Amino acid sequence: MIIALIDIALLTFMGATAIAILRLRSLFAVVMLSGIYSLLAASMFVTLDAVDVAFTEAAVGAGISTVLMIAVLALTGERERTPSHTPLVPLIVVGLTGAALIYATFDMPAFGDANAPANLHVAPRYLNDSFGEVGLPNVVTSVLASYRGYDTLGEVTVIFTAAVAVMLLLGGRKGDDAGIKNEPEADAEANEGADADSDPKSGGGGTA
Amino acid sequence: MRHHRVLRVISKLLIPFIMLFALYVQFHGDFGPGGGFQAGVIMASAFILYGLIFGLENARKVAPPGVITMLVAAGVLIYAGTGYAGLLKGGNFLDYNVLAATPVGGQHLGILIIEFGVGTTVAAAMITIFFLFAGRER
């Protein structure tokens, strides 16, 4: 009963945050609100007993990505341009996709159903035998690090690849870690930036 | 941020505890929620907080970008190296059972090492991405 009330409260807050994000034009406020949204999602994962996922969501969604977004805001404008196109087509696309996803959930087993396919395949073996085979009280760690160690190696490689990609895109030559002393490129980007950013900058200046 | 005395004092107080908590999450992940991924992000957030409050130049002195870049690769190497250690000891790739005298002991050792690799790569990758984003000028 209490859990249901907490769930309703969290969902209401998430909905309110999402609507506020939609309506705001100040990107700084949008970044802050998306951090709050992540924190609410993390609380939601806690009520679903997925504390490991909640931990990740709180650390990455509410923490790191907010900081990175603010770092990006320092490079671009802080106000969103008023969209020139009508929101009708995106609204229809999002509405149809959302309706299809909700329709798909009707086929899903009830939350926590013991006869759900996910609970019948390998889950019983992990829950029953993992303590004898791996010896860890936290079954999540046993599955992630041992039974599914291959997948986790892939995930770490994904993070490695992401860091390499950001280094290639934003980093400069060797020994030039800030990536700002690359004169010809920096000049070209500055010119491009001036062309592309002239509108939001002037708009932001006008309103501020 | 150089003039915000409250922020500077509070973050100086907080950063050691953030790092300690990251180490706790890293090495207590076998018993409670957490693990290398979460620990890496928390460890990186300590460095990012330092960079936000005390400036990027000081943060680069604490965590030299060259070293951090190497750590990004080192974590993956630690993880994959544990897999190959299993191969060399006569098991399958990423088979921890053969790493120690008993299978359960081997599992403990293997999970501890690969979680350390995960934490290293995640922390270093997050710090690298933050340095690169924050280091760009308009």
Side-chain angles (χ1 to χ4, degrees):
Chain A
M1 180 61 196
I2 293 171
I3 294 285
L5 284 179
I6 293 174
D7 278 346
I8 291 169
L10 284 176
L11 271 178
T12 315
F13 282 138
M14 283 171 90
T17 315
I19 292 169
I21 289 174
L22 276 179
R23 300 190 58 83
L24 278 172
R25 288 270 168 255
S26 161
L27 292 177
F28 182 75
V30 168
V31 169
M32 284 299 144
L33 280 174
S34 58
I36 291 171
Y37 189 88
S38 283
L39 202 60
L40 290 168
S43 319
M44 200 71 174
F45 288 132
V46 173
T47 67
L48 291 170
D49 287 335
V51 269
D52 285 87
V53 185
F55 216 147
T56 315
E57 177 69 40
V60 178
I64 299 271
S65 60
T66 309
V67 172
L68 289 182
M69 286 294 198
I70 290 174
V72 171
L73 276 191
L75 303 173
T76 61
E78 281 194 18
R79 288 198 72 81
E80 186 184 355
R81 219 181 313 189
T82 322
S84 52
H85 55 80
T86 157
L88 199 63
V89 177
L91 188 69
I92 291 170
V93 171
V94 169
L96 281 178
T97 315
L101 287 174
I102 289 171
Y103 179 69
T105 61
F106 294 147
D107 276 348
M108 281 174 67
F111 175 68
D113 185 0
N115 293 319
N119 292 336
L120 292 176
H121 186 47
V122 285
R125 161 136 190 240
Y126 291 156
L127 291 176
N128 291 327
D129 300 344
S130 78
F131 195 73
E133 286 175 350
V134 186
L136 296 186
N138 186 359
V139 185
V140 176
T141 302
S142 295
V143 173
L144 278 181
S146 185
Y147 291 110
R148 291 278 175 270
Y150 231 78
D151 298 9
T152 310
L153 176 59
E155 282 168 26
V156 176
T157 315
V158 166
I159 292 162
F160 170 77
T161 315
V164 170
V166 173
M167 272 187 246
L168 286 174
L169 285 172
L170 299 185
R173 290 164 296 194
K174 197 176 183 209
D176 171 23
D177 296 293
I180 49 175
K181 288 170 198 151
N182 229 341
E183 283 93 25
E185 243 186 68
D187 283 350
E189 272 165 34
N191 290 339
E192 270 175 41
D195 292 342
D197 285 351
S198 54
D199 293 51
K201 261 182 207 158
S202 58
T207 45
Chain B
M1 291 277 183
R2 284 170 200 285
H3 312 296
H4 295 268
R5 184 168 293 163
V6 173
L7 282 179
R8 290 167 68 97
V9 171
I10 295 294
S11 55
K12 261 191 184 169
L13 273 176
L14 275 180
I15 285 171
F17 287 104
I18 296 174
M19 290 175 146
L20 197 63
F21 185 57
L23 290 175
Y24 167 79
V25 171
Q26 170 82 51
F27 293 109
H28 202 261
D30 303 357
F31 307 100
F37 191 87
Q38 292 92 333
V41 175
I42 293 169
M43 185 60 90
S45 69
F47 285 91
I48 290 173
L49 178 63
Y50 187 85
L52 285 176
I53 303 291
F54 297 96
L56 210 55
E57 283 312 309
N58 286 323
R60 284 215 183 90
K61 278 181 201 150
V62 177
V67 176
I68 298 293
T69 308
M70 275 197 261
L71 285 178
V72 178
V76 183
L77 278 178
I78 290 171
Y79 199 133
T82 314
Y84 283 113
L87 270 184
L88 287 177
K89 287 220 163 196
N92 292 320
F93 185 68
L94 284 173
D95 182 1
Y96 312 137
N97 283 350
V98 293
L99 291 178
T102 61
V104 171
Q107 290 282 347
H108 265 288
L109 186 66
I111 289 174
L112 204 66
I113 297 173
I114 66 120
E115 290 278 14
F116 181 69
V118 174
T120 309
T121 289
V122 171
M126 296 297 166
I127 295 171
T128 303
I129 293 174
F130 170 72
F131 277 173
L132 289 170
F133 270 102
R136 278 180 83 84
E137 286 177 4
R138 213 185 249 263

PDB file of all heavy atoms in Angstrom, chain B residues 61-91:
ATOM      1  N   LYS B  61      46.632  18.783 -12.935  1.00  0.00           N
ATOM      2  CA  LYS B  61      47.859  18.480 -12.181  1.00  0.00           C
ATOM      3  C   LYS B  61      47.640  17.253 -11.300  1.00  0.00           C
ATOM      4  O   LYS B  61      48.537  16.434 -11.126  1.00  0.00           O
ATOM      5  CB  LYS B  61      48.244  19.686 -11.323  1.00  0.00           C
ATOM      6  CG  LYS B  61      48.997  20.750 -12.097  1.00  0.00           C
ATOM      7  CD  LYS B  61      49.371  21.890 -11.179  1.00  0.00           C
ATOM      8  CE  LYS B  61      49.645  23.144 -11.993  1.00  0.00           C
ATOM      9  NZ  LYS B  61      49.309  24.352 -11.233  1.00  0.00           N
ATOM     10  N   VAL B  62      46.432  17.147 -10.710  1.00  0.00           N
ATOM     11  CA  VAL B  62      46.145  15.998  -9.847  1.00  0.00           C
ATOM     12  C   VAL B  62      46.048  14.725 -10.677  1.00  0.00           C
ATOM     13  O   VAL B  62      46.586  13.682 -10.317  1.00  0.00           O
ATOM     14  CB  VAL B  62      44.829  16.234  -9.072  1.00  0.00           C
ATOM     15  CG1 VAL B  62      44.488  15.020  -8.233  1.00  0.00           C
ATOM     16  CG2 VAL B  62      44.940  17.458  -8.210  1.00  0.00           C
ATOM     17  N   ALA B  63      45.322  14.816 -11.798  1.00  0.00           N
ATOM     18  CA  ALA B  63      45.106  13.659 -12.656  1.00  0.00           C
ATOM     19  C   ALA B  63      45.641  13.987 -14.039  1.00  0.00           C
ATOM     20  O   ALA B  63      44.905  14.475 -14.885  1.00  0.00           O
ATOM     21  CB  ALA B  63      43.616  13.326 -12.714  1.00  0.00           C
ATOM     22  N   PRO B  64      46.941  13.747 -14.274  1.00  0.00           N
ATOM     23  CA  PRO B  64      47.524  14.101 -15.575  1.00  0.00           C
ATOM     24  C   PRO B  64      46.798  13.375 -16.707  1.00  0.00           C
ATOM     25  O   PRO B  64      46.638  12.144 -16.643  1.00  0.00           O
ATOM     26  CB  PRO B  64      48.976  13.622 -15.461  1.00  0.00           C
ATOM     27  CG  PRO B  64      49.212  13.463 -14.008  1.00  0.00           C
ATOM     28  CD  PRO B  64      47.913  13.131 -13.390  1.00  0.00           C
ATOM     29  N   PRO B  65      46.330  14.121 -17.739  1.00  0.00           N
ATOM     30  CA  PRO B  65      45.539  13.483 -18.800  1.00  0.00           C
ATOM     31  C   PRO B  65      46.246  12.313 -19.457  1.00  0.00           C
ATOM     32  O   PRO B  65      45.599  11.332 -19.840  1.00  0.00           O
ATOM     33  CB  PRO B  65      45.315  14.628 -19.788  1.00  0.00           C
ATOM     34  CG  PRO B  65      45.370  15.843 -18.938  1.00  0.00           C
ATOM     35  CD  PRO B  65      46.382  15.576 -17.890  1.00  0.00           C
ATOM     36  N   GLY B  66      47.602  12.367 -19.566  1.00  0.00           N
ATOM     37  CA  GLY B  66      48.314  11.253 -20.178  1.00  0.00           C
ATOM     38  C   GLY B  66      48.141   9.968 -19.377  1.00  0.00           C
ATOM     39  O   GLY B  66      47.881   8.896 -19.935  1.00  0.00           O
ATOM     40  N   VAL B  67      48.256  10.101 -18.040  1.00  0.00           N
ATOM     41  CA  VAL B  67      48.100   8.928 -17.176  1.00  0.00           C
ATOM     42  C   VAL B  67      46.672   8.412 -17.261  1.00  0.00           C
ATOM     43  O   VAL B  67      46.425   7.196 -17.360  1.00  0.00           O
ATOM     44  CB  VAL B  67      48.468   9.304 -15.720  1.00  0.00           C
ATOM     45  CG1 VAL B  67      48.214   8.140 -14.787  1.00  0.00           C
ATOM     46  CG2 VAL B  67      49.902   9.759 -15.644  1.00  0.00           C
ATOM     47  N   ILE B  68      45.690   9.352 -17.219  1.00  0.00           N
ATOM     48  CA  ILE B  68      44.281   8.949 -17.243  1.00  0.00           C
ATOM     49  C   ILE B  68      43.978   8.212 -18.544  1.00  0.00           C
ATOM     50  O   ILE B  68      43.282   7.189 -18.552  1.00  0.00           O
ATOM     51  CB  ILE B  68      43.384  10.196 -17.080  1.00  0.00           C
ATOM     52  CG1 ILE B  68      43.629  10.866 -15.731  1.00  0.00           C
ATOM     53  CG2 ILE B  68      41.924   9.827 -17.216  1.00  0.00           C
ATOM     54  CD1 ILE B  68      43.194  10.053 -14.549  1.00  0.00           C
ATOM     55  N   THR B  69      44.521   8.723 -19.663  1.00  0.00           N
ATOM     56  CA  THR B  69      44.297   8.061 -20.949  1.00  0.00           C
ATOM     57  C   THR B  69      44.804   6.624 -20.922  1.00  0.00           C
ATOM     58  O   THR B  69      44.153   5.709 -21.419  1.00  0.00           O
ATOM     59  CB  THR B  69      45.007   8.844 -22.067  1.00  0.00           C
ATOM     60  OG1 THR B  69      44.610  10.194 -21.979  1.00  0.00           O
ATOM     61  CG2 THR B  69      44.660   8.279 -23.433  1.00  0.00           C
ATOM     62  N   MET B  70      45.994   6.442 -20.285  1.00  0.00           N
ATOM     63  CA  MET B  70      46.515   5.078 -20.211  1.00  0.00           C
ATOM     64  C   MET B  70      45.641   4.196 -19.331  1.00  0.00           C
ATOM     65  O   MET B  70      45.476   3.010 -19.602  1.00  0.00           O
ATOM     66  CB  MET B  70      47.944   5.115 -19.691  1.00  0.00           C
ATOM     67  CG  MET B  70      48.950   5.360 -20.796  1.00  0.00           C
ATOM     68  SD  MET B  70      50.573   4.924 -20.257  1.00  0.00           S
ATOM     69  CE  MET B  70      51.218   6.511 -19.829  1.00  0.00           C
ATOM     70  N   LEU B  71      45.070   4.795 -18.272  1.00  0.00           N
ATOM     71  CA  LEU B  71      44.233   4.005 -17.367  1.00  0.00           C
ATOM     72  C   LEU B  71      42.962   3.525 -18.062  1.00  0.00           C
ATOM     73  O   LEU B  71      42.443   2.456 -17.729  1.00  0.00           O
ATOM     74  CB  LEU B  71      43.868   4.827 -16.124  1.00  0.00           C
ATOM     75  CG  LEU B  71      44.984   5.005 -15.099  1.00  0.00           C
ATOM     76  CD1 LEU B  71      44.505   5.871 -13.939  1.00  0.00           C
ATOM     77  CD2 LEU B  71      45.435   3.661 -14.568  1.00  0.00           C
ATOM     78  N   VAL B  72      42.457   4.339 -19.031  1.00  0.00           N
ATOM     79  CA  VAL B  72      41.260   3.909 -19.768  1.00  0.00           C
ATOM     80  C   VAL B  72      41.524   2.548 -20.418  1.00  0.00           C
ATOM     81  O   VAL B  72      40.711   1.619 -20.332  1.00  0.00           O
ATOM     82  CB  VAL B  72      40.874   4.943 -20.843  1.00  0.00           C
ATOM     83  CG1 VAL B  72      39.671   4.463 -21.634  1.00  0.00           C
ATOM     84  CG2 VAL B  72      40.561   6.282 -20.226  1.00  0.00           C
ATOM     85  N   ALA B  73      42.707   2.430 -21.046  1.00  0.00           N
ATOM     86  CA  ALA B  73      43.049   1.165 -21.703  1.00  0.00           C
ATOM     87  C   ALA B  73      43.440   0.099 -20.687  1.00  0.00           C
ATOM     88  O   ALA B  73      43.159  -1.088 -20.885  1.00  0.00           O
ATOM     89  CB  ALA B  73      44.185   1.394 -22.695  1.00  0.00           C
ATOM     90  N   ALA B  74      44.080   0.537 -19.567  1.00  0.00           N
ATOM     91  CA  ALA B  74      44.579  -0.447 -18.594  1.00  0.00           C
ATOM     92  C   ALA B  74      43.442  -1.265 -18.008  1.00  0.00           C
ATOM     93  O   ALA B  74      43.592  -2.480 -17.805  1.00  0.00           O
ATOM     94  CB  ALA B  74      45.347   0.276 -17.488  1.00  0.00           C
ATOM     95  N   GLY B  75      42.281  -0.624 -17.759  1.00  0.00           N
ATOM     96  CA  GLY B  75      41.161  -1.357 -17.174  1.00  0.00           C
ATOM     97  C   GLY B  75      40.696  -2.487 -18.065  1.00  0.00           C
ATOM     98  O   GLY B  75      40.489  -3.616 -17.607  1.00  0.00           O
ATOM     99  N   VAL B  76      40.538  -2.184 -19.369  1.00  0.00           N
ATOM    100  CA  VAL B  76      40.121  -3.229 -20.311  1.00  0.00           C
ATOM    101  C   VAL B  76      41.170  -4.327 -20.370  1.00  0.00           C
ATOM    102  O   VAL B  76      40.843  -5.527 -20.421  1.00  0.00           O
ATOM    103  CB  VAL B  76      39.871  -2.628 -21.713  1.00  0.00           C
ATOM    104  CG1 VAL B  76      39.369  -3.691 -22.665  1.00  0.00           C
ATOM    105  CG2 VAL B  76      38.872  -1.497 -21.643  1.00  0.00           C
ATOM    106  N   LEU B  77      42.461  -3.930 -20.316  1.00  0.00           N
ATOM    107  CA  LEU B  77      43.537  -4.930 -20.361  1.00  0.00           C
ATOM    108  C   LEU B  77      43.503  -5.816 -19.129  1.00  0.00           C
ATOM    109  O   LEU B  77      43.716  -7.039 -19.236  1.00  0.00           O
ATOM    110  CB  LEU B  77      44.895  -4.228 -20.463  1.00  0.00           C
ATOM    111  CG  LEU B  77      45.299  -3.786 -21.866  1.00  0.00           C
ATOM    112  CD1 LEU B  77      46.642  -3.070 -21.812  1.00  0.00           C
ATOM    113  CD2 LEU B  77      45.387  -4.981 -22.792  1.00  0.00           C
ATOM    114  N   ILE B  78      43.234  -5.207 -17.956  1.00  0.00           N
ATOM    115  CA  ILE B  78      43.149  -6.013 -16.728  1.00  0.00           C
ATOM    116  C   ILE B  78      42.037  -7.050 -16.879  1.00  0.00           C
ATOM    117  O   ILE B  78      42.207  -8.232 -16.560  1.00  0.00           O
ATOM    118  CB  ILE B  78      42.894  -5.101 -15.508  1.00  0.00           C
ATOM    119  CG1 ILE B  78      44.134  -4.258 -15.204  1.00  0.00           C
ATOM    120  CG2 ILE B  78      42.497  -5.921 -14.290  1.00  0.00           C
ATOM    121  CD1 ILE B  78      43.896  -3.185 -14.161  1.00  0.00           C
ATOM    122  N   TYR B  79      40.887  -6.590 -17.396  1.00  0.00           N
ATOM    123  CA  TYR B  79      39.733  -7.488 -17.546  1.00  0.00           C
ATOM    124  C   TYR B  79      40.069  -8.623 -18.520  1.00  0.00           C
ATOM    125  O   TYR B  79      39.948  -9.818 -18.179  1.00  0.00           O
ATOM    126  CB  TYR B  79      38.534  -6.679 -18.046  1.00  0.00           C
ATOM    127  CG  TYR B  79      37.199  -7.332 -17.819  1.00  0.00           C
ATOM    128  CD1 TYR B  79      36.145  -6.616 -17.294  1.00  0.00           C
ATOM    129  CD2 TYR B  79      36.985  -8.670 -18.125  1.00  0.00           C
ATOM    130  CE1 TYR B  79      34.914  -7.195 -17.077  1.00  0.00           C
ATOM    131  CE2 TYR B  79      35.763  -9.264 -17.915  1.00  0.00           C
ATOM    132  CZ  TYR B  79      34.727  -8.517 -17.389  1.00  0.00           C
ATOM    133  OH  TYR B  79      33.517  -9.101 -17.185  1.00  0.00           O
ATOM    134  N   ALA B  80      40.506  -8.243 -19.719  1.00  0.00           N
ATOM    135  CA  ALA B  80      40.799  -9.268 -20.718  1.00  0.00           C
ATOM    136  C   ALA B  80      41.971 -10.133 -20.267  1.00  0.00           C
ATOM    137  O   ALA B  80      41.992 -11.351 -20.517  1.00  0.00           O
ATOM    138  CB  ALA B  80      41.109  -8.608 -22.061  1.00  0.00           C
ATOM    139  N   GLY B  81      42.948  -9.527 -19.565  1.00  0.00           N
ATOM    140  CA  GLY B  81      44.095 -10.292 -19.081  1.00  0.00           C
ATOM    141  C   GLY B  81      43.674 -11.369 -18.103  1.00  0.00           C
ATOM    142  O   GLY B  81      44.230 -12.476 -18.104  1.00  0.00           O
ATOM    143  N   THR B  82      42.661 -11.056 -17.261  1.00  0.00           N
ATOM    144  CA  THR B  82      42.139 -12.084 -16.354  1.00  0.00           C
ATOM    145  C   THR B  82      41.564 -13.249 -17.144  1.00  0.00           C
ATOM    146  O   THR B  82      41.746 -14.421 -16.780  1.00  0.00           O
ATOM    147  CB  THR B  82      41.051 -11.471 -15.450  1.00  0.00           C
ATOM    148  OG1 THR B  82      41.526 -10.230 -14.950  1.00  0.00           O
ATOM    149  CG2 THR B  82      40.709 -12.382 -14.303  1.00  0.00           C
ATOM    150  N   GLY B  83      40.889 -12.915 -18.258  1.00  0.00           N
ATOM    151  CA  GLY B  83      40.373 -13.972 -19.121  1.00  0.00           C
ATOM    152  C   GLY B  83      41.489 -14.848 -19.660  1.00  0.00           C
ATOM    153  O   GLY B  83      41.401 -16.084 -19.626  1.00  0.00           O
ATOM    154  N   TYR B  84      42.557 -14.198 -20.125  1.00  0.00           N
ATOM    155  CA  TYR B  84      43.664 -14.983 -20.689  1.00  0.00           C
ATOM    156  C   TYR B  84      44.409 -15.762 -19.618  1.00  0.00           C
ATOM    157  O   TYR B  84      44.952 -16.837 -19.893  1.00  0.00           O
ATOM    158  CB  TYR B  84      44.623 -14.057 -21.454  1.00  0.00           C
ATOM    159  CG  TYR B  84      44.074 -13.659 -22.793  1.00  0.00           C
ATOM    160  CD1 TYR B  84      43.707 -12.346 -23.055  1.00  0.00           C
ATOM    161  CD2 TYR B  84      43.893 -14.609 -23.802  1.00  0.00           C
ATOM    162  CE1 TYR B  84      43.171 -11.987 -24.268  1.00  0.00           C
ATOM    163  CE2 TYR B  84      43.370 -14.263 -25.019  1.00  0.00           C
ATOM    164  CZ  TYR B  84      43.001 -12.952 -25.248  1.00  0.00           C
ATOM    165  OH  TYR B  84      42.466 -12.615 -26.457  1.00  0.00           O
ATOM    166  N   ALA B  85      44.433 -15.202 -18.371  1.00  0.00           N
ATOM    167  CA  ALA B  85      45.062 -15.946 -17.278  1.00  0.00           C
ATOM    168  C   ALA B  85      44.335 -17.276 -17.070  1.00  0.00           C
ATOM    169  O   ALA B  85      44.968 -18.315 -16.852  1.00  0.00           O
ATOM    170  CB  ALA B  85      45.038 -15.118 -15.995  1.00  0.00           C
ATOM    171  N   GLY B  86      42.989 -17.223 -17.202  1.00  0.00           N
ATOM    172  CA  GLY B  86      42.226 -18.473 -17.116  1.00  0.00           C
ATOM    173  C   GLY B  86      42.612 -19.440 -18.215  1.00  0.00           C
ATOM    174  O   GLY B  86      42.754 -20.649 -17.988  1.00  0.00           O
ATOM    175  N   LEU B  87      42.813 -18.919 -19.420  1.00  0.00           N
ATOM    176  CA  LEU B  87      43.236 -19.769 -20.553  1.00  0.00           C
ATOM    177  C   LEU B  87      44.584 -20.413 -20.265  1.00  0.00           C
ATOM    178  O   LEU B  87      44.782 -21.612 -20.478  1.00  0.00           O
ATOM    179  CB  LEU B  87      43.364 -18.924 -21.823  1.00  0.00           C
ATOM    180  CG  LEU B  87      42.153 -18.757 -22.726  1.00  0.00           C
ATOM    181  CD1 LEU B  87      42.553 -17.968 -23.965  1.00  0.00           C
ATOM    182  CD2 LEU B  87      41.590 -20.095 -23.132  1.00  0.00           C
ATOM    183  N   LEU B  88      45.542 -19.580 -19.759  1.00  0.00           N
ATOM    184  CA  LEU B  88      46.897 -20.085 -19.526  1.00  0.00           C
ATOM    185  C   LEU B  88      46.913 -21.144 -18.437  1.00  0.00           C
ATOM    186  O   LEU B  88      47.740 -22.055 -18.447  1.00  0.00           O
ATOM    187  CB  LEU B  88      47.823 -18.927 -19.119  1.00  0.00           C
ATOM    188  CG  LEU B  88      48.193 -17.967 -20.252  1.00  0.00           C
ATOM    189  CD1 LEU B  88      49.040 -16.835 -19.707  1.00  0.00           C
ATOM    190  CD2 LEU B  88      48.938 -18.701 -21.352  1.00  0.00           C
ATOM    191  N   LYS B  89      45.980 -21.013 -17.483  1.00  0.00           N
ATOM    192  CA  LYS B  89      45.936 -21.982 -16.387  1.00  0.00           C
ATOM    193  C   LYS B  89      45.160 -23.233 -16.768  1.00  0.00           C
ATOM    194  O   LYS B  89      44.928 -24.095 -15.921  1.00  0.00           O
ATOM    195  CB  LYS B  89      45.314 -21.332 -15.156  1.00  0.00           C
ATOM    196  CG  LYS B  89      46.254 -20.338 -14.490  1.00  0.00           C
ATOM    197  CD  LYS B  89      46.143 -20.464 -12.991  1.00  0.00           C
ATOM    198  CE  LYS B  89      47.321 -19.812 -12.303  1.00  0.00           C
ATOM    199  NZ  LYS B  89      47.410 -20.235 -10.920  1.00  0.00           N
ATOM    200  N   GLY B  90      44.728 -23.326 -18.013  1.00  0.00           N
ATOM    201  CA  GLY B  90      44.103 -24.553 -18.476  1.00  0.00           C
ATOM    202  C   GLY B  90      42.593 -24.540 -18.485  1.00  0.00           C
ATOM    203  O   GLY B  90      41.970 -25.560 -18.759  1.00  0.00           O
ATOM    204  N   GLY B  91      41.971 -23.391 -18.193  1.00  0.00           N
ATOM    205  CA  GLY B  91      40.512 -23.301 -18.245  1.00  0.00           C
ATOM    206  C   GLY B  91      40.054 -22.624 -19.526  1.00  0.00           C
ATOM    207  O   GLY B  91      40.799 -22.540 -20.497  1.00  0.00           O
TER     208      GLY B  91
END
